Amino acid sequence: MLRSEAIVDLAAIRANVETLRSGTEAELMAVVKADGYGHGLVPAARAALAGGARWLGVAMIEEALALRAAGIREPVLAWLWTRQETDELRLAVDAGIDLTVSSTAALETVLATAAESATPARLHLKIDTGLSRNGATPADWPALVTAAGRAAAEGTVDIIGIWSHLVSADVPDHPTTKSQIEVFTEALDIAAALGVRPQIRHLANSAATVTEPAAHFDLVRTGVAIYGLSPVPERGDFGLVPAMTLRSHLANVKRVPGGTGVSYGHDYLTDRDTTLALVPLGYADGIARNATNLGPVSIGGRRYRISGRVAMDQFVVDVGDAAVSEGDEVILFGPGTAGEPTAQDWADALDTIHFEIVTRIGARVPRTYRGLDQVWADDSKPASTR
Ligand SMILES: *Cc1c(COP(=O)(O)O)cnc(C)c1O
């Protein structure tokens, strides 16, 4: 058995995709960037496809290429790249990866790459409707659409989509969402007037998928929700089931007297004779150092907090007089069904969001998979990754 592991329930990811699809007429893109939000890129992608996702979305080109290398043929959109990545762009075009273009400069780079490729580059033009990250401003939009339309007429590119990203979809009925839908619709009208009418218009993330049908268009890009984390926690769980359980086992257990200082700097002092339990996970594994004296854990079905500083490889828990032994299981977070903390509980304790809790689990923690049979038809199934 493993010392520590992130157990990923692929059947939950599959079911979450089915749940999300039942709430929209649009196709679903499963966002599997950042190693599937820490759940494993290829297993998460396979589980989502088994649940009926038709598209996969990633940030970086190498993430898209890794999906292709695993034999996944479905459409994949990559949305964050730089002009330096000429080799990667070439591989992406050859592999039929859909690429986002936000500027005429980026378009020129893609055109130079596509000119050397036998296949047209597949493009999604991005309009900045207010987030001010990627995307052409409304002022620059007509020039980008015109240049892309010309390249499409020459056969160098296929314009597959037009898209944008929301600012505050996690706050239902936020006025910014409404104004972004308006700017997006205007951008679609301008493109149509310039002869560019792609089939796939997309705007919604997970939060808008569960709360804002007016943002669904042809495709919704769901990330956090497919992993079972509520995109709008104040509104409940939307029937989603958290897919990841992070667990370890106690490496040391001992009795100490009251007044014992614990871990670096002695930021925790025992207030009575008590039992200290040592957990072999630290900030190198993605347990944030600011979880010191805060992070919730479950041992033997009881909840505790981390006692003292989180170190690189380990932290301590004061379990009082509970009967615990070396080798006992400790659960940091899971679906919460057995009383264990959830990723949401960790996010609340650390004043962050559950996205960060699951995504930053480090490479030293093996991912092991449940529900593989529901996801993999052939026998290339991994028992675990890393
Ligand atoms: C990460 C990301 C998503 C998915 O967002 P969730 O809130 O996790 O659903 C969608 N679109 C873009 C552009 C993203 O970067």
Side-chain angles (χ1 to χ4, degrees), residues 10-57:
L10 297 177
I13 295 177
R14 176 185 170 149
N16 291 332
V17 169
E18 287 167 351
T19 299
L20 292 163
R21 284 184 66 226
S22 71
T24 182
E25 304 277 292
E27 296 283 15
L28 186 141
M29 172 189 284
V31 180
V32 293
K33 63 189 178 186
D35 199 31
Y37 288 41
H39 296 66
L41 173 75
V42 172
R46 295 260 192 184
L49 293 171
R54 293 277 173 274
W55 283 77
L56 298 169

Side-chain angles (χ1 to χ4, degrees), residues 166-211:
L166 294 169
V167 173
S168 295
D170 55 328
V171 183
D173 304 319
H174 196 288
T176 304
T177 303
K178 190 161 177 276
S179 77
Q180 286 190 274
I181 293 170
E182 283 166 14
V183 175
F184 187 60
T185 305
E186 279 165 32
L188 292 170
D189 291 346
I190 290 165
L194 292 168
V196 174
R197 292 182 196 81
Q199 289 194 330
I200 317 284
R201 303 160 298 164
H202 51 108
L203 179 60
N205 57 4
S206 293
T209 299
V210 297
T211 61

